[in-house]
């Protein structure tokens, strides 16, 4: 087999950033991807002129100017501002919790009135130490907001009762005493006009990079290990070591996508369903990420269903509890004995990374790799 400088396993954002930087330094790179497309979970596909986020809503946000400038080399971003709306049994509330939410919930108009109401509600837990997520949320924000906007959503997300979930999951709840529906506090945010896939396409466009999709590392593991001097592995770290120390846990998701014959179905890109009875957590209407661009009489919506994860399912979210983190630390010790393999990305490093953090982590890896 041909000798590459690097074999990158996984054509997601981590693998692509590494491959791009390695090629820039004259290195010959092979990228293999088991899915039929590049870009990993940020993959977007155009349908009826609408960029459909195939693996859930992706909004780029960061306060890291270096990362923002970096990603802007590969796409032009619009001024999209994430402002999700919650639907609780037909009652609509703005998120994150802000003056619009409090006004809708309690009829209050000023920050002082809202604070007084929150304080009154928090009295329920006065003097008590929260023993679980439910008590923690009530101690931070009170029962009304907990019951309508936190309980059902969180229980669906974790597949567990809030009284059985540990308190530490919610360390703090951002409460904003202004009429500002911007979900993120970051300095920069937006959606790449024309979708995310182009970013990874451009990263992988070099003549020094060969890309093979529909190619699973484990189908020809020994050959792949021989094919390059070094491996950058962005799949699950426990799988790489054949689960020899045990299995890391993940949460999974199921997406149901549907085309609707209306121009505007829900009036917002993201609506969270915060009641317990609705089985999905969010409905995404993709065209709103680009302000209605696309077919004016059609729209595409995706319902997101949280799901338990079993080996073979798509591992979307690492479950970073103490037990899993300890197991991951043991896998890291095994990884340290493999100097020719670099583990990266949200599966290789078993960490919930946003896109900006993945780019930052990949650039850090590049610095380390090429500084000698
Ligand atoms: P991935 O994108 O998962 O890439 C890893 C790739 O490796 C995959 O394509 C996989 O198929 C491939 N692979 C695995 N095993 C093998 C193998 N054996 N052989 C070959 N290929 C293999 N971030 C934000 O900043 N903003 C958001 O709004 C946001 N929303 C999100 C919503 C959801 C539902 C999810 C799941 C994530 C969201 N993220 C968001 C996080 C974002 O998706 C990640 O930060 C980013 O995609 C991680 O890139 P990665 O390269 O580490 O992993």
């Amino acid at each position: 087999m041909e000798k590459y400088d690097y074999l990158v396993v996984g054509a997601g954002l981590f693998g692509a950033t590494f491959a791009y930087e390695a090629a820039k330094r004259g290195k010959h790179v092979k990228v293999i991807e088991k899915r039929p497309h590049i870009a990993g979970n940020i993959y977007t596909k155009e349908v009826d002129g609408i960029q459909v986020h195939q693996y859930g809503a992706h909004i780029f946000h960061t306060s890291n100017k270096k990362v923002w400038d970096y990603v802007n080399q590969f796409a032009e971003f619009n001024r999209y501002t994430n402002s999700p709306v919650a639907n609780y049994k037909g009652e609509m509330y703005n998120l994150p919790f802000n003056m619009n939410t409090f006004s809708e919930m309690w009829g209050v108009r000023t920050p002082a009135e809202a604070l007084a109401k929150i304080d009154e509600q928090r009295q329920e837990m006065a003097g008590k130490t929260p023993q679980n997520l439910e008590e923690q949320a009530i101690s931070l924000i009170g029962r009304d907001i907990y019951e309508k906007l936190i309980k059902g959503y969180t229980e669906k997300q974790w597949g567990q009762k809030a009284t059985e979930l540990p308190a530490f999951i919610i360390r703090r709840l951002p409460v904003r005493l202004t009429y500002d529906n911007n979900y993120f506090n970051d300095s920069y945010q937006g959606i790449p006009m024309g979708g995310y896939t182009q970013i990874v396409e451009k990263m992988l466009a070099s003549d020094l990079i060969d890309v093979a999709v529909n190619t699973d590392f484990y189908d020809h593991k020994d050959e792949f290990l021989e094919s390059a001097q070094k491996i950058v592995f962005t799949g699950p770290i426990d799988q790489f070591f054949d689960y020899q120390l045990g299995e890391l846990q993940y949460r999974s998701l199921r997406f149901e996508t549907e085309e609707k014959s209306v121009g505007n179905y829900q009036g917002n890109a993201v609506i969270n369903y915060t009641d317990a009875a609705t089985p999905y957590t969010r409905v995404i209407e993709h065209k709103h990420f680009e302000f209605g661009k696309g077919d004016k009489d059609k729209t595409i919506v995706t319902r997101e269903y949280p799901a338990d994860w079993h080996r073979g399912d798509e591992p979307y979210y690492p479950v970073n509890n103490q037990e899993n983190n300890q197991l991951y630390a043991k896998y890291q010790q095994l990884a340290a004995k493999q100097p020719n393999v670099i583990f990266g990305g949200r599966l290789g490093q078993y960490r919930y990374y946003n896109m900006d953090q993945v780019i930052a982590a990949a650039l850090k890896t590049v610095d380390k790799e090429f500084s000698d």
Side-chain angles (χ1 to χ4, degrees):
M1 260 180 127
E2 191 173 354
K3 265 281 186 201
Y4 289 93
D5 294 306
Y6 292 94
L7 171 77
V8 174
V9 180
L13 196 51
F14 188 99
T17 305
F18 185 92
Y20 174 78
E21 291 296 329
K24 237 169 63 178
R25 290 163 175 80
K27 304 295 179 191
H28 203 190
V29 186
K30 169 97 177 179
V31 179
I32 58 167
E33 168 56 56
K34 70 174 180 182
R35 295 181 188 175
H37 58 76
I38 58 165
N41 285 346
I42 69 170
Y43 177 64
T44 48
K45 185 178 167 195
E46 189 177 318
V47 181
D48 298 330
I50 301 163
Q51 289 295 332
V52 177
H53 295 207
Q54 297 276 323
Y55 299 95
H58 276 74
I59 298 119
F60 201 99
H61 58 100
T62 190
S63 291
N64 185 332
K65 173 118 178 31
K66 185 179 158 202
V67 167
W68 180 244
D69 290 343
Y70 187 82
V71 76
N72 273 268
Q73 296 174 76
F74 305 103
E76 194 178 337
F77 282 70
N78 68 17
R79 57 137 200 97
Y80 180 83
T81 304
N82 191 28
S83 317
V85 172
N87 180 329
Y88 176 77
K89 300 183 179 176
E91 295 172 22
M92 309 303 277
Y93 295 99
N94 288 107
L95 298 173
F97 309 139
N98 72 76
M99 285 305 298
N100 288 306
T101 329
F102 306 136
S103 182
E104 186 65 35
M105 181 92 49
W106 299 313
V108 294
R109 282 159 300 172
T110 64
E113 286 170 9
L115 267 184
K117 191 73 192 171
I118 292 169
D119 274 350
E120 175 197 310
Q121 293 248 324
R122 294 177 60 209
Q123 284 312 306
E124 187 182 333
M125 282 297 295
K128 296 183 205 152
T129 307
Q131 299 298 322
N132 54 49
L133 187 145
E134 174 167 305
E135 293 183 359
Q136 173 78 341
I138 294 171
S139 77
L140 290 169
I141 194 90
R143 186 167 286 275
D144 285 353
I145 297 230
Y146 166 68
E147 294 280 353
K148 291 188 172 183
L149 299 179
I150 298 174
K151 183 173 189 286
Y153 193 88
T154 309
E155 291 186 343
K156 287 188 279 190
Q157 248 189 335
W158 290 94
Q160 274 185 63
K161 293 243 167 293
T163 47
E164 288 159 13
L165 285 166
F168 76 80
I169 293 181
I170 306 185
R171 284 223 169 76
R172 44 178 215 102
L173 283 172
V175 169
R176 198 177 282 164
L177 293 168
T178 52
Y179 288 90
D180 178 4
N181 297 325
N182 178 358
Y183 197 80
F184 298 120
N185 289 318
D186 283 317
S187 315
Y188 312 101
Q189 72 176 300
I191 298 281
M193 291 187 265
Y196 284 94
T197 306
Q198 61 176 321
I199 295 176
V200 174
E201 256 163 23
K202 287 178 199 165
M203 285 177 163
L204 299 180
S206 164
D207 289 344
L208 289 175
I209 303 176
D210 294 334
V211 182
V213 293
N214 290 314
T215 306
D216 192 322
F217 174 71
Y218 297 104
D219 287 347
H220 303 281
K221 185 175 170 181
D222 293 338
E223 279 173 56
F224 283 130
L225 287 173
E226 299 273 294
S227 71
Q229 285 172 10
K230 268 192 153 176
I231 315 277
V232 175
F233 189 83
T234 72
I237 188 168
D238 53 348
Q239 188 181 13
F240 184 90
F241 292 108
D242 212 10
Y243 306 103
Q244 59 181 273
L245 304 174
E247 217 171 60
L248 291 165
Q249 292 173 309
Y250 299 88
R251 289 290 293 158
S252 198
L253 285 172
R254 184 167 62 81
F255 301 104
E256 238 174 48
T257 297
E258 197 188 334
E259 184 174 300
K260 300 221 177 250
S261 303
V262 289
N264 182 3
Y265 173 70
Q266 63 180 16
N268 205 38
V270 182
I271 304 233
N272 290 4
Y273 283 76
T274 55
D275 64 300
T278 306
Y280 40 87
T281 44
R282 310 199 286 185
V283 177
I284 311 303
E285 186 172 9
H286 302 268
K287 65 162 39 170
H288 295 305
F289 287 125
E290 292 196 58
F291 310 114
K293 188 169 158 273
D295 193 319
K296 69 176 178 30
D297 300 318
K298 283 189 197 153
T299 194
I300 299 189
V301 297
T302 302
R303 289 178 288 277
E304 266 181 37
Y305 296 81
D308 291 337
W309 175 86
H310 307 281
R311 206 186 280 185
D313 297 340
E314 206 49 68
Y316 285 109
Y317 300 113
V319 179
N320 287 110
N321 59 23
Q322 206 183 0
E323 195 184 322
N324 285 318
N325 287 344
Q326 281 170 356
L327 181 56
Y328 170 64
K330 289 188 190 149
Y331 276 115
Q332 271 184 305
Q333 287 168 10
L334 288 185
K337 293 181 193 143
Q338 305 260 343
N340 292 333
V341 187
I342 298 168
F343 293 87
R346 83 197 157 96
L347 301 173
Q349 290 174 280
Y350 195 67
R351 190 171 309 165
Y352 187 87
Y353 271 141
N354 281 322
M355 291 178 275
D356 61 324
Q357 295 168 313
V358 165
I359 293 177
L363 293 177
K364 200 170 153 196
T365 303
V366 166
D367 279 350
K368 198 163 160 231
E369 184 63 11
F370 297 108
S371 62
D372 309 333

